[in-house]
């Protein structure tokens, strides 16, 4: 689809998902993403980052807000109406094996249900992701985890997408393989101009992959901005705690730096705390935090949802 001038590739506005029983998994999430850009989406498990990714690729229907792709509102399109945009939007999953049909050959998986690719195109895709022509007639169980993820990436590339939602694409893989897949994704982006929404809990990988990062807590974005601004100087106490757990390569700094240990577990999204939902775990919390929910506002070159973001930096 051609994009109207000025429209970003992806615009997510006030996106929300309330599951049955009133559990608000995602609440008012918004951001934009442009071609060849990577936005990292980070936070603890259960913070709503995967649900956000699934709503963007329309595996889940949002209960509020909107998703615009190439300037077109795709939020509530039927699968048929979505067809012209479908190929622009792909997803890579955390567990490569459970996302590949075990009864299909690699060729069938990559060609998709409509079998639109010929033999040469399948081989091209396999080679592009570091596999070979001879792999095309094998089944998923004949591959290692890293190879299976390469097949998942080839399948995502088959429709020449513009945006790929990568949902924890390396966290189920051996550490030794993770860097290979991250580098492959970076090379493909440089070659094809792809945009990635990179969902992860490993903040070192996000620093390597992303130009911007959004931090989610209990269904909301609490800080969003350029990696270059946020990593050296996080403004939200939650971002600060997450980043304090990331190992630093320099052993002297690593030995002396302060780790912020968060109190308790994240509260249940079924019963979020009043005011700022981070307040029961926040060392800076004051009375105002229990009653007034902070809105995202600009502080030091990023947007942050904290009444006291100017403190503690
Ligand atoms: Fe902590 Fe208050 Fe800021 Fe929330 S608004 S993060 S409780 S200081």
């Amino acid at each position: 689809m051609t994009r109207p001038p000025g429209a970003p590739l992806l615009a997510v506005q006030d996106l929300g998902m309330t599951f049955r029983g009133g559990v608000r998994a995602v609440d008012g999430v918004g951001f934009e993403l442009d071609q060849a850009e990577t936005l990292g989406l980070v936070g603890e498990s259960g913070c709503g980052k995967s649900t956000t990714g699934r709503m963007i690729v329309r595996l889940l229907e949002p209960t509020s807000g909107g998703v615009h792709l190439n300037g077109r509102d795709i939020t509530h399109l039927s699968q048929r109406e979505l067809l012209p945009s479908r190929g622009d939007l792909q997803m890579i999953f955390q567990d490569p094996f459970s996302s590949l049909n075990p009864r299909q050959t690699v060729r069938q998986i990559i060609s998709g249900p409509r079998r639109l690719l010929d033999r040469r195109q399948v081989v091209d895709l396999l080679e592009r992701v570091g596999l070979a022509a001879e792999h095309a007639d094998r089944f998923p169980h004949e591959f290692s985890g890293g190879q299976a993820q390469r097949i998942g990436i080839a399948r995502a590339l088959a429709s020449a997408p513009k945006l790929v939602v990568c949902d924890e694409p390396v966290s189920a893989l051996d550490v030794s393989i993770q860097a290979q897949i991250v580098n492959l994704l970076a090379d493909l982006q440089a070659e094809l101009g792809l945009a990635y929404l990179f969902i992860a809990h490993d903040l070192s990988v996000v620093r390597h992959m992303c130009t911007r990062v959004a931090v989610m807590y209990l269904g909301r974005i609490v800080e969003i901005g350029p990696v270059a601004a946020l990593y050296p100087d996080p403004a939200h106490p939650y971002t600060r705690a997450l980043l304090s757990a990331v190992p630093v390569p320099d052993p002297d700094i690593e030995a002396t730096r302060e780790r912020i240990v968060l109190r308790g577990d994240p509260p249940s999204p079924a019963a979020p705390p009043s005011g700022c939902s981070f307040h029961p775990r926040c060392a800076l919390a004051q009375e105002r935090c229990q009653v007034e929910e902070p809105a995202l506002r600009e502080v030091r070159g990023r947007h942050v949802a904290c009444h006291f973001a100017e403190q503690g930096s």
Side-chain angles (χ1 to χ4, degrees):
M1 298 265 325
T2 27
R3 187 164 7 143
L9 174 63
L10 174 74
V12 175
Q13 289 157 353
D14 207 16
L15 202 61
M17 169 59 86
T18 305
F19 288 118
R20 231 176 289 159
V23 176
R24 222 166 156 64
V26 175
D27 187 8
V29 163
F31 54 80
E32 291 183 353
L33 186 58
D34 237 319
Q35 208 175 324
E37 200 189 10
T38 304
L39 174 69
L41 197 56
V42 304
E44 292 160 296
S45 49
C47 71
K49 55 192 193 302
S50 287
T51 304
T52 301
R54 280 167 191 266
M55 286 192 281
I56 291 168
V57 296
R58 289 290 317 272
L59 286 175
L60 282 174
E61 178 113 7
T63 47
S64 58
V67 178
H68 290 72
L69 187 71
N70 285 322
R72 181 179 183 219
D73 185 351
I74 63 162
T75 323
H76 301 293
L77 297 183
S78 67
Q79 288 303 325
R80 191 151 167 238
E81 290 167 320
L82 191 61
L83 221 49
S85 303
R86 187 74 271 182
D88 288 345
L89 206 56
Q90 290 293 338
M91 186 152 183
I92 299 169
F93 297 88
Q94 176 174 0
D95 179 353
F97 287 111
S98 67
S99 71
L100 302 177
N101 184 337
R103 285 181 293 279
Q104 289 188 331
T105 64
V106 169
R107 182 193 314 284
Q108 290 168 327
I109 290 169
I110 293 177
S111 305
R114 292 160 71 217
R115 306 269 186 274
L116 291 178
L117 302 185
D118 63 25
R119 190 179 179 283
R120 185 68 241 160
Q121 289 170 310
V122 170
V123 171
D124 278 351
L125 281 167
L126 285 175
E127 289 174 350
R128 189 158 249 179
V129 299
L131 294 171
E134 73 219 45
H135 292 126
D137 295 312
R138 297 193 193 161
F139 290 89
H141 74 267
E142 298 176 64
F143 294 91
S144 67
Q147 287 174 318
Q149 194 55 298
R150 288 175 193 268
I151 298 167
I153 295 170
R155 175 181 55 188
L157 295 183
S159 64
K162 299 205 169 54
L163 169 72
V164 181
V165 173
C166 308
D167 188 7
E168 306 250 13
V170 297
S171 54
L173 304 177
D174 284 354
V175 175
S176 57
I177 307 297
Q178 291 184 357
Q180 293 176 14
I181 299 296
V182 165
N183 290 338
L184 172 64
L185 289 170
D187 290 348
L188 290 169
Q189 180 172 50
E191 215 175 299
L192 305 171
L194 300 169
Y196 291 139
L197 178 65
F198 196 86
I199 301 170
H201 63 262
D202 181 339
L203 280 99
S204 322
V205 175
V206 168
R207 174 165 33 198
H208 182 73
M209 279 297 289
C210 305
T211 37
R212 284 188 305 136
V213 60
V215 181
M216 284 187 75
Y217 186 79
L218 221 62
R220 299 184 73 95
I221 290 179
V222 295
E223 187 162 5
I224 179 168
V227 163
L230 214 131
Y231 270 66
D233 175 30
H236 196 283
Y238 179 61
T239 316
R240 223 172 281 145
L242 287 184
L243 284 172
S244 83
V246 177
V248 174
D250 184 323
D252 293 335
I253 299 177
E254 178 65 20
T256 54
R257 79 206 175 89
E258 187 201 348
R259 279 246 162 115
I260 303 168
V261 180
L262 287 175
R263 298 180 281 192
D265 295 322
S268 160
S274 61
C276 171
S277 58
F278 188 58
H279 84 253
R281 304 172 81 191
C282 182
L284 295 184
Q286 302 185 27
E287 244 176 80
R288 179 183 175 193
C289 306
Q290 296 176 27
V291 288
E292 194 185 323
E293 187 177 324
L296 276 173
R297 63 196 172 92
E298 201 173 343
V299 175
R300 304 196 299 275
R302 88 290 312 270
H303 284 82
V304 55
C306 170
H307 298 307
F308 303 105
E310 286 80 1
Q311 295 179 18
S313 66

